[in-house]
């Protein structure tokens, strides 16, 4: 018998305990009377049995009454508890329960150093529904809206009906304001879908005010008040808007939301272009390769200048398809130049953390190499040091798989103790890059010079090539030559060039 069947059996026994007790008592009394009468049924025995039966039934009935009374009391207690902590119309938590959960959430956010948010939501034009269709329709609309709000939230979040058409929402444990923006957008989209009330479609929207802990307040009262104020600002801007209490956060979040829309449009319509930054051998001053850099400049509206769009794309997971487009385009360009008689050269392509961790990255890279027909030895994947910081062993396994394809591996942003961590010396690297932040102050900063010299010596000991990024002045170049750096790129040599400009550089270098 399974655990579930045993549990059901126990529940059944408890529910019918009065019946089983009465039956057991009746059987025992009969056995007792029969034993007393030496198993012969005289009139006195029969009368005794009937009397005992009545007593047993009375006893069982009393037990049943007591059990039913206890069950009714428990149900009544549960109902009273539900009324004490929940809204009677929607069944959602009421202010008492919400305040308790809010206090607990703020304590947790303080201990874990995370953010929490209070959202104040007011349905737009709800009064019109009440006035035209009646209060019964309005109540049904509020219940349905509450169900949709719950569907937009996590189990750890809380929504309560403050009264009328107003709801307050608590969001726990998140790391950045953009997460709250996504929830607000999800709520707006859910409420925009028409509600079917007794066969009639009813459309509403909502104005939402948002206050963040600890940015907009440290106490519950502050956050509730600020969320309410932000909601009125949102309502004054027109229906179906949300507003953060802090104006700078509101502007930043909305800029990122706008940028997300533009990025998805740019990816769909291929509004990116590649430029190629030349790389030089410092011993011969000859062109030996290039680094492909992506630029977003073909859209209808220019990207926002104050936000790093690549970082936003990485957060949204868009750098995986964008990065694969870069790989495919760079390899196709190299193949085209070779078909036109230019020398085969190395092309370096930056790989983001999300690309490197993508499940099918290696298969997709192999497909690009096959489609374009480029020799894999010409492709160099440029990884940042942070990619390997979380799990050196797992990163090493994936690098070995990439090496089997024949591509070269470079480690970028190398300005800290990469080789001091266990396992990194055994990574299958071909090249390391001196970060441009290290190069920028190389001439005047003795510590930077010592660090650069240490990295160069370590690269030489491991048999790795080394290239310096961001070389902008002759003094930096002279210092790098003195430190025996072998390759360099930067504005001193050339800014990233469009394909046509790079063709002219080919002609200058090799004719």
């Amino acid at each position: 018998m399974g655990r579930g069947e045993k549990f059901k059996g126990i529940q059944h026994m408890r529910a019918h305990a009065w019946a089983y007790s009465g039956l057991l008592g009746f059987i025992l009394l009969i056995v007792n009377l029969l034993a007393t009468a030496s198993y012969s049924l005289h009139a006195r025995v029969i009368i005794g049995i009937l009397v005992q039966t009545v007593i047993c039934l009375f006893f069982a009935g009393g037990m049943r009454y007591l059990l039913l009374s206890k069950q009714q009391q428990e149900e009544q207690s549960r109902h009273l508890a539900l009324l004490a902590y929940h809204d009677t119309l929607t069944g959602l938590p009421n202010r008492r329960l919400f305040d308790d959960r809010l206090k607990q959430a703020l304590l947790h956010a303080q201990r874990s150093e995370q953010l929490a948010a209070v959202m104040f939501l007011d349905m737009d034009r709800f009064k019109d529904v009440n006035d035209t269709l009646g209060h019964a329709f309005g109540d049904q609309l509020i219940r349905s809206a509450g169900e949709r709000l719950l569907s937009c939230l996590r189990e750890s979040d809380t929504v309560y009906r403050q009264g009328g058409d107003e709801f307050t929402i608590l969001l726990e444990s998140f790391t950045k304001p953009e997460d709250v923006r996504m929830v607000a957008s999800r709520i707006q989209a859910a409420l925009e879908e028409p509600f079917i009330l007794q066969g009639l479609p009813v459309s509403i929207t909502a104005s939402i005010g948002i206050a963040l802990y600890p940015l907009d307040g440290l106490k519950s009262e502050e956050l509730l008040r600020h969320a309410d104020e932000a909601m009125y600002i949102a309502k004054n801007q027109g229906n179906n808007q949300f507003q953060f209490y802090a104006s700078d956060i509101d502007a930043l979040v909305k800029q990122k939301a706008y940028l997300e829309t533009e990025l998805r449009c740019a990816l769909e319509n291929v509004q990116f272009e590649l430029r190629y930054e030349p790389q030089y051998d410092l011993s011969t001053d000859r062109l030996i390769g290039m680094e492909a850099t992506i630029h977003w400049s073909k859209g209808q509206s220019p990207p926002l200048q104050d936000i790093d769009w690549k970082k936003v794309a990485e957060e949204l997971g868009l750098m995986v398809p964008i990065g694969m487009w870069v790989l495919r385009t760079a390899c196709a360009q190299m193949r085209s130049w070779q078909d036109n008689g230019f020398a085969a050269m190395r092309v370096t392509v930056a790989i983001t953390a999300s690309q490197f961790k993508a499940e099918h990255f290696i298969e997709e890279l192999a497909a690009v190499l096959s489609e374009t027909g480029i020799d894999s030895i010409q492709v160099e994947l440029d990884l940042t040091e942070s990619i390997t910081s979380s799990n050196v062993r797992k990163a090493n396994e994936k690098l070995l798989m990439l090496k089997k394809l024949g591509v070269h591996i470079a480690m970028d942003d190398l300005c800290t103790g990469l080789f001091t961590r266990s396992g990194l010396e055994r990574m299958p690297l071909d090249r390391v890059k001196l970060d441009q932040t290290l190069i920028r102050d190389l001439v005047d900063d003795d510590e930077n010079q010592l660090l650069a010299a240490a990295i160069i010596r370590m690269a030489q000991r491991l048999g790795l090539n080394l290239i310096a990024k961001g070389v902008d002045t002759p003094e930096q170049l002279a210092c790098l030559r003195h430190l025996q750096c072998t390759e360099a790129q930067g504005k001193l040599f050339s800014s990233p060039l469009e394909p046509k400009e790079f063709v002219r550089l080919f002609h200058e270098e090799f004719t």
Side-chain angles (χ1 to χ4, degrees):
M1 182 182 293
R3 183 176 297 179
E5 293 179 352
K6 289 182 179 179
F7 180 72
K8 290 181 179 178
I10 292 171
Q11 283 187 320
H12 177 80
M13 291 287 290
R14 287 177 177 175
H16 299 85
W18 62 273
Y20 290 114
S21 298
L23 179 61
L24 179 61
F26 178 68
I27 293 172
L28 291 175
L29 287 171
I30 291 177
V31 171
N32 181 49
L33 289 171
L34 289 175
T36 304
S38 300
Y39 301 97
S40 57
L41 294 177
H42 299 292
R44 292 175 61 187
V45 173
I46 294 174
I47 294 172
I49 291 174
L50 292 175
V51 172
Q52 297 285 359
T53 301
V54 172
I55 294 174
C56 287
L57 291 175
F58 180 79
F59 176 73
M63 287 186 63
R64 181 175 183 274
Y65 174 79
L66 292 175
L67 288 172
L68 289 176
S69 298
K70 184 179 179 181
Q71 290 176 356
Q72 290 175 352
Q73 289 177 355
E74 290 176 351
E75 290 177 1
Q76 188 175 11
S77 298
R78 286 194 295 267
H79 181 66
L80 290 175
L82 183 68
L83 293 178
Y85 290 100
H86 292 81
D87 175 55
T88 55
L89 178 61
T90 62
L92 296 172
N94 62 11
R95 178 62 180 266
R96 183 178 179 182
L97 180 56
F98 182 85
D99 285 344
D100 181 65
R101 291 184 180 179
L102 178 56
K103 290 177 182 178
Q104 296 299 322
L106 297 186
L107 287 173
H108 176 74
Q110 183 181 16
R111 287 194 299 265
S112 60
E113 296 183 350
Q114 292 183 314
L115 300 177
V118 173
M119 305 173 70
F120 197 100
L121 182 149
D122 182 84
M123 290 194 290
D124 304 318
R125 302 188 307 276
F126 176 77
K127 185 175 182 298
D128 296 340
V129 176
N130 261 348
D131 292 344
T132 56
L133 299 178
H135 290 282
F137 278 84
D139 289 347
Q140 187 179 347
L141 177 59
I142 289 174
R143 283 193 294 269
S144 299
E147 292 172 358
R148 290 194 186 181
L149 290 177
L150 284 175
S151 68
C152 297
L153 305 177
R154 303 165 298 178
E155 290 186 3
S156 60
D157 300 326
T158 303
V159 55
Y160 100 93
R161 177 179 170 240
Q162 182 158 323
D165 59 341
E166 296 176 337
F167 295 86
T168 304
I169 300 168
L170 167 63
L171 304 180
E172 298 187 43
S173 302
F174 61 92
T175 57
K176 55 186 183 298
E178 289 80 6
D179 297 336
V180 184
R181 194 252 328 156
M182 294 178 65
V183 176
S185 298
R186 190 160 61 241
I187 289 173
Q188 288 180 329
L191 295 180
E192 284 175 358
E193 290 291 326
F195 292 83
I196 306 302
L197 306 179
Q198 298 183 21
L200 297 176
V202 176
S203 298
I204 62 165
T205 55
S207 299
I208 304 173
I210 304 168
L212 302 177
Y213 171 89
L215 305 176
D216 299 327
L218 300 177
K219 297 182 179 180
S220 303
E221 297 78 9
E222 287 182 289
L223 293 171
L224 289 167
R225 185 174 68 254
H226 292 163
D228 189 24
E229 293 175 8
M231 186 276 294
Y232 280 104
I233 296 174
K235 191 169 281 291
N236 290 334
Q237 293 174 353
N239 295 327
N240 205 28
Q241 300 290 326
F242 65 84
Q243 172 76 34
F244 285 82
Y245 177 75
S247 59
D248 54 342
I249 293 178
D250 186 73
L252 179 64
V253 169
K254 289 180 178 177
Q255 279 185 340
K256 286 191 174 182
Y258 167 77
L259 189 58
E260 177 181 351
T261 303
E262 292 293 303
L263 274 170
R264 295 188 185 279
C265 180
L267 181 59
E268 182 178 350
N269 298 306
V270 194
Q271 295 174 349
F272 302 107
E273 62 181 17
L274 288 189
R275 297 175 190 171
Y276 301 88
E277 183 174 3
Q279 298 171 330
Y280 288 86
D281 186 328
L282 295 185
S283 63
T284 63
D285 293 331
R286 298 288 291 179
L287 178 68
I288 57 172
M290 67 201 74
E291 179 173 357
T293 59
I294 186 171
H295 296 264
W296 178 17
S297 59
K298 294 184 178 180
Q300 294 291 332
S301 53
L304 298 172
Q305 300 300 318
D306 297 334
I307 298 180
D308 184 353
W309 68 265
K310 294 179 185 177
K311 183 178 179 181
V312 175
E314 178 78 350
E315 292 175 356
L316 296 171
L318 294 178
M319 280 309 295
V320 174
I322 291 175
M324 193 51 61
W325 176 87
V326 172
L327 266 171
R328 183 174 287 104
T329 304
C331 290
Q333 182 64 77
M334 294 299 294
R335 179 76 263 174
S336 175
W337 280 335
Q338 292 175 38
D339 291 343
N340 283 280
F342 295 106
M345 285 194 174
R346 177 187 72 218
V347 59
T348 302
V349 179
I351 303 298
T352 65
S354 59
Q355 281 181 269
F356 185 76
K357 296 174 183 177
E359 182 179 358
H360 301 294
F361 172 62
I362 295 177
E363 292 87 341
E364 291 176 347
L365 173 59
V368 168
L369 295 174
S370 176
E371 291 169 8
T372 58
I374 189 174
D375 191 344
S376 59
I377 201 172
Q378 295 176 241
V379 178
E380 181 177 77
L381 303 182
D382 187 4
L383 310 177
T384 62
E385 182 184 349
S386 61
I387 288 177
T388 65
S389 60
S390 58
N391 191 325
V392 174
R393 183 188 61 80
K394 192 172 183 179
N396 191 49
E397 291 174 355
K398 198 158 193 176
L399 289 175
L400 288 171
M401 296 173 67
L402 289 171
K403 288 295 293 180
K404 289 181 180 179
L405 292 179
V407 298
H408 283 194
I409 307 294
M411 189 64 70
D412 199 357
D413 290 343
L414 186 57
C415 60
T416 56
L418 171 67
F419 299 105
T420 62
R421 294 199 299 270
S422 173
L424 287 176
E425 290 191 13
R426 295 187 296 273
M427 281 193 168
L429 303 179
D430 299 286
R431 192 181 317 276
V432 294
K433 289 190 172 185
L434 291 176
D435 183 46
Q436 56 190 353
T437 58
L438 181 64
I439 303 300
R440 184 173 55 240
D441 301 321
L442 186 64
V443 176
D444 301 319
D445 193 320
D446 293 339
E447 290 186 2
N448 275 16
Q449 291 182 21
L450 291 173
L451 181 57
I455 293 174
I456 292 172
R457 286 196 301 271
M458 185 64 71
Q460 291 171 344
R461 183 177 70 81
L462 296 175
L464 302 176
N465 295 320
L466 191 138
I467 185 169
K469 292 173 56 180
V471 181
D472 298 337
T473 68
E475 292 78 12
Q476 292 171 345
L477 179 60
C479 189
L480 289 168
R481 288 184 188 276
H482 176 72
L483 294 173
Q484 299 182 344
C485 182
T486 55
E487 300 173 9
Q489 65 186 83
K491 292 181 180 178
L492 179 62
F493 303 97
S494 173
S495 297
L497 303 173
E498 295 181 359
K500 292 181 179 179
E501 296 173 328
F502 209 94
V503 168
R504 285 196 290 270
L505 180 64
F506 269 132
H507 286 297
E508 293 173 3
E509 290 286 331
F510 300 106
T511 58

